[in-house]
């Protein structure tokens, strides 16, 4: 079964989260100031990314490239 990418943006908190597949137990690991990988608690695979202050960073994020595994 192909996993789906879920995108959630909280306008009030200016918080963007992209998650691959269904919600699962996991944890966040900071990879940059206010930028976090979401990792599966069991496999330690990256299953998402979260950005705090997304709109505020729009100019600084134009060159940001992030790769997420699909399997």
């Amino acid at each position: 079964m192909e996993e789906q990418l879920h995108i959630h943006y909280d306008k009030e908190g200016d918080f963007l989260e992209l998650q691959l597949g269904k919600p699962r137990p996991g944890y966040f690991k900071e990879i940059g100031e206010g930028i976090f990988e979401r990792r599966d608690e069991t496999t330690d695979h990256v299953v998402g990314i979260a950005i705090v202050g997304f709109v505020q960073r729009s100019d600084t994020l134009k060159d940001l490239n992030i790769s997420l595994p699909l399997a």
Side-chain angles (χ1 to χ4, degrees):
M1 174 185 248
E2 208 172 290
E3 297 214 57
Q4 294 184 350
L5 178 65
H6 300 273
I7 301 170
H8 171 76
Y9 178 68
D10 175 6
K11 184 176 181 180
E12 186 176 321
D14 193 15
F15 176 80
L16 175 72
E17 183 173 4
L18 301 125
Q19 183 172 317
L20 188 59
K22 295 180 181 179
R24 61 194 101 178
Y27 66 95
F28 285 103
K29 177 182 176 186
E30 189 166 16
I31 59 173
E33 190 174 325
I35 302 173
F36 301 86
E37 290 178 334
R38 181 166 174 73
R39 293 186 160 266
D40 184 288
E41 193 174 87
T42 304
T43 66
D44 204 37
H45 290 136
V46 175
V47 293
I49 189 150
I51 301 172
V52 178
F54 180 72
V55 171
Q56 292 177 346
R57 300 167 177 264
S58 61
D59 288 338
T60 60
L61 289 178
K62 65 184 173 189
D63 295 328
L64 179 66
N65 293 306
I66 299 167
S67 298
L68 296 175
L70 295 177

